[in-house]
Amino acid sequence: MKKKERTESLKINSRFKDWPRQIKTAMVLLVFLMLVRPAAFAQSPLDKVCSISLNNEPLKTALDKISAISGVKFTYNETVAKSTIKITLQAKEQSLSTILTNVLAQHPYSYMLLDQDILIRYDPDKKTNKRPVKPSSLKYRVSGTVTSKQTGETIIGATIRVLDMNTGTSSNGYGFFSLNLPAGENRLSISAMGQKTVLMTITLTADHSLNIEMEDESQQLQEIKINAAAPNSRDLASPQMGVERLNIQDTKNMPVLLGERDVIKTIQLLPGIKSAGEGSGGFFVRGGASDQNLILLDEAPVYNASHLLGFFSTFNSDAIKNINIFKGDMPAQYGGRLSSVLDIKMNDGNNQKFGVSGGVGLIAARLNLEGPIQKGKSSFLISARRTYADMFLKLSKDSTVNRSKLYFYDLNAKANYILGNRDRLYLSGYFGKDVLSAENVAGINWGNTTATLRWNHVFNNKLFSNTSVIFSDYNYRISIKQDINDLGIYSQIRDWNLKEDLQWYANEKNTISMGFNGIYHTIKPGEISATGNSGIVSQTLENRYALENSAYISNTWKATDRFTLTYGLRASAFTILGKGNYYNLDADGNITGSKYYTAGQAVKTYINPEPRIAAAFQLNDFSSVKTSYARNAQNLHLVSNSNAGSPTDKWVASTNLIRPELADQFSVGYYRDFSEHKYEFSVESYYKILQNQVDYRNGANIYTNQPIETQLLYGKGRAYGAEFLLKKKTGRLTGWISYTLSKSERKIDGISDNQWYNARQDRTHDIAVVAIYKASEKWTLSANFVYYTGDAVTFPGGKYQVDGENYYYYTNRNADRMPAYHRLDLGATRQLKKTAKFSSDLTFSLYNAYGNPNAYRIFFRDSAADPNRTEAVRTTLFTFVPSVTYNFKF
């Protein structure tokens, strides 16, 4: 302290002694407040901590958002308000001074504290901190796996973005990612649906392994957040078209039939995907039949994905992690079907702690167990479900009814083990069975069994491998009892499958996928056993054997920041194997000759190249245009004479007469985000050319003991349409509106005078509206409405008499329509309890809330009063179906 300053200080102290005690006290308090005041202000406003995400925002918009989050008011003039600079920033729990420093570091603007406000001013003399340009020649590879911190589950489709560059990637189907980044400092943002966004900075001086753990969204403290790119946003830069991704949480609050959440019913509310009808587990995609959909559960094919004749699907939602459906434009690693691939991944199991969840509804109960085998390294999952509708049958006094059986059960099981930084092993299985029988009358049992053994291996930071051995079995058994006669029918399709998939992250512009797949099919068309004097002879139809091989390679090339191209080729070879007889037919379906092949002898091989190409051009940060072409081949065919499908439908393989079905699909689409990713709009149109389509001859019988080829005809088809989707993704009210306008036709010589006719799955209009409203912390309300054009059917055009009996005759195939279908479902979820260790809720649903008597079937009969008059009889399955389910988790 200088001498003059010391003198002044002594004078003040001298005067201070002469002041009254009250004044002295007041002055001491004033001095104390002056000393404390700066400390108080250190916490507000510049040191206030908050989190924010900004992406290319105008300066004024950025400041308004920061103000909304922090509660601090900004003062600025017109120069600042009209500034054209754009701000990109990711900040996690940073002080406001740090955020403003980063926001304004590269621009000629400064900030200063002005009482309780912050003044932003134009500062032309400021030396901006321009980020140096990093040499593109020096780059390093960052790779790793994205997992959940709470459960250890790998996270599929997590987005990894580089904040200071227009680049990024996403984790693959096994949680692995790889990025090529410049040397030096890189700021990353990692986001995924249902997870808390992770922000980090890494400094690269060499290749780097980066395993990322993400926290569940539910674990966050309540806070205000702004995300410039929502985790569930559609990837505008990806060329992939015709894909819909569904997180299992999307199904949690939706209205359901009889209290059972169903992923198949949920995807039917998306554009281009149509229900096969009420009471059916099948679905149609872009004009294709139900058998043209490949359904995979942990990579294993599921040949019948329905329970209770189609009222429920085989997929227990408690066991499912992720759902992807590709509508015709599937990536090259998928094949074997024409219309779609529904790829469902099971949960891996929690490797951090033991957990139990489940639910009890009106007709079914569920129980899910998961936990670590060795914490942090291995885990297990067991998920079981069973209906108990048969329990209510026992209340009947009728012995025929109370001894009947009507139930299904399924069991999902999975275990995985982390062998090291480069290897992970998975073993998963599904076991399901339906039992429907009436005592001493008839019964039908059917079920699926699948098993998958997978090995994930990281060769290096550029090459990822997934090797799988897969088993799949579907069978049904029918039994009929009448007096002393017993009749049994058994059919089965069984696969053994070896698959290898490789992903090579060649450089920052090219990602190459390649692999092969080999499947050995065994098909039992039917075994008939008969006793008694019914006149039916026991027989076994010849088994069919085939080897289905394929190999593929594709490349995703990021040509520019705005243009990305994916191109590739899949080649499939289907070899029909002996032993057995193979036939030649004439034009009327009569057998003209046959040839016997010994076990393992090749009958015929079909080779089909399947090229695919897709391109995306990003118009700006919120819109893009995409186009694609894909060819697919199908060698397994479902022989069915019902629209909805049933467990007794027959799977048959391509033969010397049944050729592989082929489809060429052309697509174009437009995609746009609105209101900072709160809304999403897309429209896709497609045209599909179909070859070697299979349909029945008039008057065909699928249960004949003749070769099934005698009942079939072959021709071509076409399908085209447009799909619209508008989705609201954030806020208390979320949901979507989808609309599909489409046409599907076939042309087969011998049917409908050899002219084009409607396919059974043809529908002109299909509308779905889904709304979910978070009314409060305790209540979530939901509703969905569906409307679609009635199914294409064939009604009789007249009738005639032979020996006093009336017979109906039919003209053009599928020329008539069922009445239009429409239904409103309502739902509500009441949160009962939610703590860190236990949660429970009640789910209420009302299916078909206004009781519309939708037609399930229309059949024709002679009037009892006047046999010359024909009556159309309409049957309905469901009106007003309420349900309640109690769900728990601990």
Side-chain angles (χ1 to χ4, degrees), residues 8 11 71 120 142 179 221 308 325 353 378 397 406 468 476 525 575 588 600 602 629 681 694 840 876:
E8 291 295 327
K11 290 180 180 178
I120 307 295
V142 177
L179 262 175
L221 297 175
L308 289 184
I325 183 163
K353 63 179 182 179
S378 58
K397 297 180 179 180
L406 176 64
S468 304
Y476 68 82
T575 302
D588 296 323
Y629 161 75
F681 172 77
V694 182
S840 62
T876 297

Side-chain angles (χ1 to χ4, degrees), residues 136-144 160 167-170 176-184 186 188 202-211 422 458-464 503-512 556:
S136 58
S137 59
L138 188 58
K139 292 181 179 293
Y140 295 108
R141 178 67 56 173
V142 177
S143 63
I160 301 95
T167 188
T169 188
S170 59
F176 181 81
F177 74 94
S178 182
L179 262 175
N180 214 32
L181 297 178
N186 290 271
L188 305 180
I202 59 174
T203 301
L204 295 178
T205 58
D207 289 347
H208 185 66
S209 178
L210 181 65
N211 293 320
R422 293 179 178 270
V458 180
F459 285 98
N460 52 52
N461 53 24
K462 289 187 177 183
L463 185 60
F464 176 87
Q503 276 188 297
W504 178 34
Y505 300 86
N507 50 51
E508 66 270 25
K509 291 187 177 294
N510 294 276
T511 301
I512 297 173
T556 298

Side-chain angles (χ1 to χ4, degrees), residues 562-781:
R562 296 289 185 186
F563 180 69
T564 307
L565 185 70
T566 296
Y567 54 93
L569 176 67
R570 179 184 180 89
S572 61
F574 191 84
T575 302
I576 307 158
L577 301 174
K579 62 179 182 180
N581 288 291
Y582 286 82
Y583 303 91
N584 295 318
L585 306 179
D586 62 18
D588 296 323
N590 301 312
I591 297 174
T592 59
S594 66
K595 182 178 179 180
Y596 180 79
Y597 292 84
T598 59
Q601 185 178 1
V603 178
K604 190 177 181 64
T605 297
Y606 294 102
I607 298 176
N608 283 295
E610 303 172 36
R612 289 118 193 256
I613 186 169
F617 182 75
Q618 199 166 348
L619 302 175
N620 45 48
D621 290 339
F622 47 83
S623 64
S624 67
V625 174
K626 303 181 185 183
T627 185
S628 71
Y629 161 75
R631 164 169 279 207
N632 291 291
Q634 178 169 335
N635 286 286
L636 296 178
H637 322 275
L638 189 65
V639 178
S640 171
N641 59 2
S642 68
N643 192 38
S646 75
T648 59
D649 294 340
K650 291 184 178 182
W651 282 95
V652 298
S654 295
T655 67
N656 59 316
L657 298 176
I658 304 175
R659 298 178 61 82
E661 300 177 59
L662 299 175
D664 294 276
Q665 179 171 283
F666 304 84
S667 307
V668 63
Y670 173 73
Y671 312 84
R672 184 182 175 93
D673 280 337
F674 295 94
S675 301
E676 298 172 336
H677 304 275
K678 294 178 182 178
Y679 296 89
E680 174 187 298
F681 172 77
S682 66
V683 54
E684 291 188 6
S685 61
Y686 64 91
Y687 191 92
K688 192 182 325 186
I689 302 169
L690 303 163
Q691 301 178 51
N692 304 327
Q693 296 302 283
V694 182
D695 210 336
Y696 285 107
R697 294 177 181 271
N698 293 328
N701 176 18
I702 67 170
Y703 299 109
T704 178
N705 57 5
Q706 294 290 313
I708 192 64
E709 292 93 330
T710 62
Q711 309 299 308
L712 304 177
L713 292 172
Y714 315 97
K716 60 184 179 180
R718 62 190 180 193
Y720 48 92
E723 302 162 1
F724 302 83
L725 177 66
L726 177 63
K727 182 184 292 186
K728 185 178 186 294
K729 299 180 291 185
T730 62
R732 299 177 71 177
L733 176 65
T734 58
W736 67 84
I737 300 173
S738 72
Y739 170 63
T740 305
L741 175 68
S742 62
K743 188 68 181 174
S744 182
E745 298 175 300
R746 302 293 182 266
K747 185 178 182 181
I748 297 176
D749 289 347
I751 300 176
S752 297
D753 297 325
N754 306 335
Q755 301 298 311
W756 287 101
Y757 64 92
N758 295 327
R760 289 182 301 171
Q761 58 271 18
D762 176 64
R763 288 186 193 147
T764 308
H765 305 287
D766 204 300
I767 301 171
V769 181
V770 177
I772 301 172
Y773 180 67
K774 183 73 174 177
S776 66
E777 289 298 317
K778 295 290 186 181
W779 283 99
T780 302
L781 309 178

